[in-house]
Amino acid sequence: MIPAPAVPLGVPLGRPRVMGVVNVTPDSFSDGGRYAAPADAVAHGLALLDEGADLLDIGGESTRPGATRPLVAEELARVVPVIRELADAGAVVSVDTMRHEVAEAALEAGAVVVNDVSGGLADPAVLEVVAAAGATYVAMHWRAHSDRMRDFAVYDEAGGVVAAVCRELEERVEVIRAAGVADDRIVLDPGLGFAKTPAHSWALLRDLDPLLALGHPLLVGASRKSFLGSLLDSSRAGRGGPRPVGEREAAHLAVVLELARAGVWGVRVHDVRSARDALAVWAALTQEEGPHD
């Protein structure tokens, strides 16, 4: 396999990198399968690039609570053609997968990042694939698959969810290093909403410093997630229930601005234009010479 080119993790942009989400699934919580057809997914990815995405995250498996996993062949058929076409168009492509077979095929098709929501726990062989390719690896905090992750949303130890997530991510980093992935290719993700109640996700966002102190770039995905919907309970507007997925963007942008202030490496978003607009305003307000790319 030809080694993947490095993603310049250490090159400052003056703002978080914006990772645009492209779900090639029929059961995504965020878009309901709108881009399940490869041609639609490619068109969406190209649109996100035009809106300012720094990299695209292509996923063929829904990780919404209760989701059923596709067969390996299904996931491959969903993502590989999309990755190949977007990489050929010049995009920096990340594959969102927990499977080593999918990671390997994606890297061969032009991806340079493997975004593994399980941090190598679901399929340890993915780490060998990443190491062999010299790819960048995003390790998210994870405890169980989507169909039972809610059963693992318990953080009773001293320090609560923040201490537990930091400790468990540190343990994963040691395993990832041992598999041969270089330190400068490791990105961490606290896994908002994965085996976490809304209160756990808010606690992590309020206390990012211990996560940043782990010494690796931090990617955070808050876009459209249920903890935002729970906060914005629609019953206050007389409708009842959490705010619908498509009506959470303003709240998400407030989170993006706080993440920028904290100094995270990247934000994983569905609405790239809104995120880039918010970050441009933040840069203009906080950087004397204005935003720089």
Side-chain angles (χ1 to χ4, degrees):
M1 182 184 297
I2 299 173
V7 175
L9 300 180
V11 177
L13 298 182
R15 58 165 174 80
R17 284 163 171 77
V18 175
M19 173 185 276
V21 178
V22 180
N23 290 315
V24 196
T25 60
D27 56 347
S28 166
F29 88 95
S30 63
D31 55 48
R34 185 177 178 185
Y35 309 111
D40 292 335
V42 169
H44 182 54
L46 294 174
L48 295 182
L49 289 178
D50 286 343
E51 292 174 0
D54 298 296
L55 62 164
L56 299 176
D57 195 36
I58 317 300
E61 175 180 353
S62 174
T63 53
R64 61 178 175 78
T68 300
R69 303 197 73 190
L71 298 174
V72 174
E74 290 178 309
E75 189 179 348
L76 285 166
R78 290 172 181 177
V79 302
V80 171
V82 176
I83 289 169
R84 183 176 291 113
E85 193 160 344
L86 288 171
D88 287 347
V92 177
V93 177
S94 163
V95 60
D96 179 358
T97 187
M98 294 180 270
R99 289 169 162 151
H100 77 274
E101 302 97 329
V102 178
E104 186 169 32
L107 292 169
E108 290 175 350
V112 295
V113 179
V114 174
N115 181 16
D116 181 357
V117 300
S118 81
L121 286 168
D123 182 358
V126 75
L127 301 178
E128 299 172 11
V129 169
V130 171
T136 294
Y137 185 66
V138 181
M140 195 190 79
H141 178 264
W142 184 88
R143 286 183 165 182
H145 285 290
S146 298
D147 59 349
R148 55 194 180 93
M149 66 180 175
R150 287 171 171 163
D151 297 335
F152 292 82
V154 179
Y155 300 90
D156 291 335
E157 66 182 70
V161 65
V162 175
V165 169
C166 287
R167 175 179 55 78
E168 291 171 30
L169 282 176
E170 282 186 301
E171 291 170 357
R172 296 314 303 158
V173 167
E174 292 306 310
V175 174
I176 294 163
R177 285 173 176 157
V181 180
D183 261 5
D184 63 357
R185 301 299 181 97
I186 300 172
V187 178
L188 301 179
D189 181 338
L192 302 180
F194 285 79
K196 297 171 188 71
T197 65
H200 293 144
S201 292
W202 288 116
L204 288 163
L205 287 171
R206 284 194 298 268
D207 197 7
L208 289 168
D209 286 346
L211 289 160
L212 292 164
L214 295 176
H216 291 278
L218 197 64
L219 174 71
V220 180
S223 182
R224 300 183 180 175
K225 288 193 171 176
S226 60
F227 73 94
L228 295 174
S230 298
L231 176 72
L232 307 172
D233 192 325
S234 294
S235 62
R236 298 177 185 176
R239 296 193 299 271
R243 186 76 59 84
V245 169
E247 299 177 19
R248 300 172 184 173
E249 186 57 25
H252 170 243
L253 293 178
V255 174
V256 167
L257 293 175
E258 178 59 21
L259 294 171
R261 184 204 64 76
V264 305
W265 173 82
V267 290
R268 185 177 182 275
V269 309
H270 296 87
D271 189 335
V272 167
R273 176 172 292 174
S274 292
R276 286 298 305 262
D277 286 353
L279 289 171
V281 171
W282 170 80
L285 290 171
T286 60
Q287 301 171 16
E288 290 185 6
E289 297 180 4
H292 292 285
D293 284 345

